[in-house]
Amino acid sequence: MMLLLHGTRLGETRQAKWQDISFKYKTWTIPAHRTKTNSELVLPLTQYTVKLLKDYKKKNSGTYLFSNKKGEVLAHSTADYMLNQLSKGQWTAHDIRKRFRSILADPGIDYYVSESLLNHAKGKLDQAYIHTYLENLKQEALKSYHSKLSTILD
């Protein structure tokens, strides 16, 4: 669900720790050292995501959101295998990410907002000057996306 809700990479998602989730500020922070771009990613959590995570935490309250039986981070191969089983070989984590991007584009969500949610590398000029309303725009984009998604999943 975290892959589906945020379009994150499999490695970023499987390494998520509960300490990265802030219910108070409604954010999921992926530290720079866990991202492909080596840039910290702060993702807004919608009400829909907060509810799912709080319910999930009741059953899985170790260090990692997704861990093996020993409480260690879920191996990439294991996470990949689980997705393959779930999809019956029809799609991959990267397919979810590509679909996430397409769904954001459909209602006309700003290109830069979508790219920021995906944590794609940005040019130096963009990194230096574009900050103003980005967090609010990311929140609104995810609210719209999650609203649409919840009608399908619920």
Side-chain angles (χ1 to χ4, degrees), residues 16 30 54 68 70 72 79 83 88 110 131 136:
I30 304 173
K54 283 184 174 181
N68 62 21
K70 295 179 184 177
E72 302 162 336
L83 277 172
K88 298 179 180 158
D110 182 80
H131 296 290
N136 288 338

Side-chain angles (χ1 to χ4, degrees), residues 20-133:
D20 303 333
I21 304 291
S22 170
F23 291 121
K24 179 179 179 181
Y25 297 107
K26 296 182 181 173
T27 57
W28 172 20
T29 301
I30 304 173
H33 69 273
R34 282 194 237 139
T35 68
K36 181 179 177 181
T37 59
N38 290 314
S39 299
E40 179 181 81
L41 176 61
V42 178
L43 293 165
L45 298 177
T46 63
Q47 301 254 151
Y48 184 74
T49 307
V50 168
K51 182 183 179 333
L52 288 173
L53 284 170
K54 283 184 174 181
D55 290 345
Y56 182 70
K57 190 170 185 177
K58 291 175 188 172
K59 301 173 198 161
N60 301 286
S61 60
T63 300
Y64 295 96
L65 275 69
F66 312 105
S67 59
N68 62 21
K69 291 178 182 176
K70 295 179 184 177
E72 302 162 336
V73 66
L74 196 63
H76 191 284
S77 58
T78 304
D80 202 38
Y81 175 79
M82 292 168 72
L83 277 172
N84 189 32
Q85 293 298 110
L86 180 67
S87 72
K88 298 179 180 158
Q90 297 296 306
W91 40 263
T92 65
H94 192 67
D95 291 329
I96 294 171
R97 193 168 159 78
K98 289 188 298 188
R99 186 67 185 134
F100 173 83
R101 180 63 178 93
S102 296
I103 291 170
L104 291 179
D106 289 346
I109 291 176
D110 182 80
Y111 174 83
Y112 191 79
V113 172
S114 298
E115 292 297 294
S116 294
L117 286 167
L118 290 166
N119 203 23
H120 281 162
K122 297 166 192 68
K124 290 186 182 196
L125 186 63
D126 290 342
Q127 289 176 27
Y129 292 104
I130 302 176
H131 296 290
T132 316
Y133 299 105

